[in-house]
Amino acid sequence: VDLPDQDRRGHQESGEDSSGGTGPGRGGPGRGYGSRGRARSPIAVLRHHVENSSRQQLAFQVVAGVLTAVAFAVLRGYDLLGKAPLWALLLLLVVASLAGQVATARWGAGCTRVQMHFRIAVHIATTTAVIYAIGWGPTLTVGYLVVVAGDLEISGSAAYLPCLIWSLAGIAAGQVAIALGLVSTLVPEPLVHGVGTLGALGLAFVIYLLGTKTKDVERANASMQAAAADLAAANEAMREFVAVASHELRTPTTVIKGFASTLQDRWDATAEEDRREFAATILRSADLLGRLVDDLLTVSRIEGGAVDTHAQDIEALHAIDEALDQLGRRRDVCVSAPPGLMLHADPTHVRRILRNYLDNAFRYGAPPVEVEAVELDGQVVVRVRDHGEGLPEEFVARAFQKFSQAKRAMGGDRKGTGLGLSIVKGLAEAGGGQAWYEPNQPKGSCFSASFPRT
Amino acid sequence: MSYLAIMESAQGQAGTRARVLVVVEDDFDMRLLVKVTLAADPRIEVAGEAATAGEAIEMARGLHPGLIILDHALEGEMTGLEAAPLLRQSAPNAKILLFTAYDLAAEARSEPAIDGFLRKDEIHLLLPTVQRFLGLPSEG
């Protein structure tokens, strides 16, 4: 088998795998083969199987088919197949094989290594007993169906070794029995042929598994590489976040430390007005630091999917009034919302979203500031508009990202944490809505958030 | 006389004092802190302030500073690390101290244009470091 090094390693490892059961499913529609309870139509399963089979895998299946056919031919030569024509048996083989694939895809796979040995042993013993009871032709039909359909419940990669062991053991036992002249005396002849035949079929089955396993390894590698890439990206994002968060935390800490130590070391040499200015700066930075920590905790809860949402029916107008009251800006804003327009959301989240938008409008925008609530496509959309400069165009795409502030280019007071809009977005989405920005007409910003309508 | 008044009156004085160009992001408090810290040594003059790499390169050419205190996170496209070689070209005699809240000690070491690195939270080391780079004996 010409596998790349990485594939070969994966192949050997899974060949020695003793965990059994939970490995990837075999040659078929990806994870569906290994997962219990996924209902797919047989046609969809087969189409997926054909589309996902590599040339190598198909070649293995052909070899397996040829070996099986040879096993049948040999049996026929010994006149052990009754009157069934060879083409009918081959047709049966194909049908059984497909039935097994469909069965596995629909009902899943999974068992331990010991269970797997037990199952295969039971198959061989049962089939042999049936051979003894009812003869070759019908038994091969039933037996092969049992082996293919039944064993396909077992994860392909983990079934490889048990199948090989039992197949070889069956053939060897038959040969030993013949060599020792035990056939027809201690061991009945049909038993020897039965075990031998199932051994040959088992070998074919192993080769079939090898083919499907190759595909499994490829698929597992591909999915592992994708997972590794996802992990690396998440890691990089986390590293970036930690770097920026530490930077943002260090800046106010440094300012506090620096001015406090200046006051301590040079109290007498510092003019009264400077002392006041330094103390005010310390307070401002401590306040920023506190808000940063709160916001970081909120971001962490949002990103961990641990936002507590206690949604209830609230009137849009009431939520807007509450947010304005908290900011003490009720008189500075023009509110437009139809009475009785109800939304379904967590009131504290709605207030936080509105407070953030309004705070930004007062801080960075220009009056008049307007708030409106409207019903749109079955949702309640709340918009906060101002008539300032609006967001710089290059900033719009990252306005809702963490630690992005357009203010740097706009001068003046920049005492936000840079997390407000990312929190707004997280809270809106956690409540089943969205948050977005668009330029206001004729000028300024228009920040919107949508909430489910009651 | 207040620090701020001292600093303002010192602006533009020629000659005897060692000139420092401060290039920091537009955090007003941090700029103030740097200036207040340096104002403790009257031999040091903050000769100019810039918020972008472009401004800094232009100012460095005219001011001939002895030291450039360079932040990493600047306004505009260029970071402090990227700006350092260009600053070195426009003021070949100036030492460059990378002063940032990011952990960039290793990056700063591998950039030949940068002479020293100080993390912002080590603000208590800023004055002695600046004195050392400017060749000013510590006042003890």
Side-chain angles (χ1 to χ4, degrees):
Chain A
V1 182
D2 184 22
L3 294 171
D5 280 346
Q6 201 177 1
D7 284 4
R8 199 185 304 276
R9 274 198 304 279
H11 195 149
Q12 285 165 354
E13 279 161 19
S14 53
E16 290 159 13
D17 178 20
S18 62
S19 61
T22 55
R26 52 207 290 183
R31 298 178 59 203
Y33 272 52
S35 57
R36 196 169 286 277
R38 278 186 58 180
R40 293 167 142 218
S41 82
I43 292 171
V45 170
L46 290 178
R47 187 184 301 132
H48 197 98
H49 175 71
V50 171
E51 285 169 359
N52 281 275
S53 294
S54 66
R55 287 169 70 182
Q56 197 175 33
Q57 181 182 5
L58 291 172
F60 269 115
Q61 289 176 347
V62 168
V63 172
V66 169
L67 261 185
T68 311
V70 169
F72 278 131
V74 171
L75 290 171
R76 197 172 185 235
Y78 283 109
D79 197 21
L80 291 171
L81 289 179
K83 289 177 181 169
L86 198 57
W87 64 264
L89 289 167
L90 285 174
L91 187 65
L92 187 68
L93 168 70
V94 171
V95 171
S97 173
L98 294 180
Q101 301 228 3
V102 173
T104 311
R106 289 182 72 87
W107 295 303
C111 68
T112 67
R113 192 179 185 184
V114 173
Q115 285 172 334
M116 200 181 323
H117 277 280
F118 182 73
R119 280 185 193 199
I120 293 168
V122 167
H123 286 321
I124 288 176
T126 316
T127 314
T128 307
V130 174
I131 289 169
Y132 199 63
I134 63 175
W136 277 108
T139 307
L140 277 172
T141 309
V142 176
Y144 206 77
L145 270 173
V146 168
V147 169
V148 173
D151 282 351
L152 275 167
E153 283 178 30
I154 301 163
S155 159
S157 53
Y160 167 62
L161 269 182
C163 272
L164 187 66
I165 291 165
W166 284 102
S167 303
L168 293 177
I171 293 170
Q175 292 305 309
V176 168
I178 292 167
L180 295 177
L182 297 174
V183 177
S184 300
T185 55
L186 283 176
V187 184
E189 195 173 342
L191 185 67
V192 177
H193 290 301
V195 172
T197 306
L198 283 173
L201 291 178
L203 272 180
F205 187 58
V206 167
I207 290 170
Y208 169 81
L209 284 183
L210 270 176
T212 56
K213 203 174 73 164
T214 306
K215 187 66 184 174
D216 285 346
V217 170
E218 284 168 12
R219 192 177 288 121
N221 274 337
S223 86
M224 268 164 63
Q225 276 165 9
D230 286 351
L231 205 62
N235 212 14
E236 176 59 24
M238 177 55 83
R239 200 195 59 76
E240 174 80 17
F241 176 72
V242 168
V244 177
S246 345
H247 173 270
E248 297 296 316
L249 289 168
R250 271 180 200 138
T251 302
T253 310
T254 303
V255 170
I256 291 169
K257 212 160 84 175
F259 281 113
S261 78
T262 302
L263 285 175
Q264 189 183 41
D265 298 345
R266 299 171 183 272
W267 180 267
D268 293 332
T270 307
E272 174 72 22
E273 58 180 298
D274 284 346
R275 284 184 210 150
R276 289 184 191 283
E277 170 66 27
F278 296 172
T281 309
I282 290 172
L283 280 176
R284 227 174 19 241
S285 295
D287 179 52
L288 172 62
L289 198 58
R291 280 184 287 133
L292 253 172
V293 171
D294 283 347
D295 282 0
L296 280 170
L297 288 173
T298 307
V299 164
S300 146
R301 275 199 295 274
I302 288 171
E303 295 193 342
V307 184
D308 286 332
T309 303
H310 304 289
Q312 59 188 69
D313 294 342
I314 40 178
E315 189 181 8
L317 193 55
H318 181 64
I320 294 169
D321 282 345
E322 276 189 337
L324 287 170
D325 284 344
Q326 283 181 347
L327 288 170
R329 305 300 290 252
R330 200 158 181 168
R331 291 182 176 178
D332 305 327
V333 176
C334 175
V335 179
S336 147
L341 179 60
M342 302 292 286
L343 51 91
H344 188 71
D346 187 317
T348 56
H349 294 177
V350 176
R351 281 198 297 272
R352 185 155 189 180
I353 290 168
L354 289 174
R355 261 199 339 262
N356 184 284
Y357 279 175
L358 286 163
D359 196 41
N360 281 348
F362 290 120
R363 197 191 293 252
Y364 307 121
V369 174
E370 301 156 352
V371 186
E372 69 166 349
V374 292
E375 189 184 349
L376 201 69
D377 299 332
Q379 290 204 305
V380 175
V381 175
V382 183
R383 301 192 182 105
V384 176
R385 305 174 195 274
D386 71 69
H387 292 76
E389 296 170 28
L391 291 186
E393 202 178 321
E394 69 278 6
F395 180 71
V396 170
R398 57 192 169 91
F400 287 87
Q401 289 173 10
K402 292 190 291 278
F403 293 123
S404 54
Q405 284 180 303
K407 193 65 196 79
R408 283 159 203 258
M410 294 156 81
D413 172 34
R414 180 187 76 85
K415 282 301 168 203
T417 61
L419 294 169
L421 287 179
S422 76
I423 290 174
V424 161
K425 188 167 188 290
L427 292 181
E429 288 173 358
Q434 284 181 317
W436 68 95
Y437 168 84
E438 57 210 333
N440 188 32
Q441 298 304 333
K443 62 180 293 203
S445 300
C446 175
F447 282 95
S448 306
S450 61
F451 305 94
R453 194 182 179 336
T454 299
Chain B
M1 198 181 213
S2 78
Y3 274 119
L4 298 178
I6 290 170
M7 286 185 301
E8 275 157 23
S9 70
Q11 294 277 337
Q13 274 187 14
T16 53
R17 303 204 302 162
R19 296 177 145 229
V20 174
L21 170 62
V22 178
V23 187
V24 290
E25 58 180 305
D26 70 336
D27 187 301
F28 176 80
D29 294 335
M30 183 53 82
R31 274 195 192 197
L32 179 63
L33 179 61
V34 171
K35 288 191 286 183
V36 165
T37 306
L38 298 185
D41 186 339
R43 296 168 297 174
I44 297 171
E45 174 198 357
V46 176
E49 295 171 47
T52 69
E55 271 174 40
I57 291 161
E58 205 51 46
M59 288 177 92
R61 199 169 285 136
L63 287 173
H64 306 293
L67 174 69
I68 298 171
I69 298 176
L70 177 63
D71 199 348
H72 178 65
L74 300 172
E75 283 179 32
E77 293 296 303
M78 214 183 292
T79 64
L81 267 176
E82 290 162 354
L86 302 172
L87 281 167
R88 165 70 75 225
Q89 278 175 16
S90 68
N93 296 322
K95 303 276 187 196
I96 298 179
L97 172 67
L98 190 68
F99 180 62
T100 170
Y102 288 104
D103 286 307
L104 293 171
E107 289 82 351
R109 259 198 304 278
S110 57
E111 171 53 64
I114 290 176
D115 300 289
F117 170 79
L118 188 65
R119 219 171 66 182
K120 270 185 187 165
D121 51 344
E122 296 172 313
I123 184 78
H124 58 287
L125 297 177
L126 182 63
L127 185 59
T129 308
V130 168
Q131 287 169 335
R132 184 163 54 82
F133 274 119
L134 292 172
L136 303 171
S138 171
E139 292 172 317

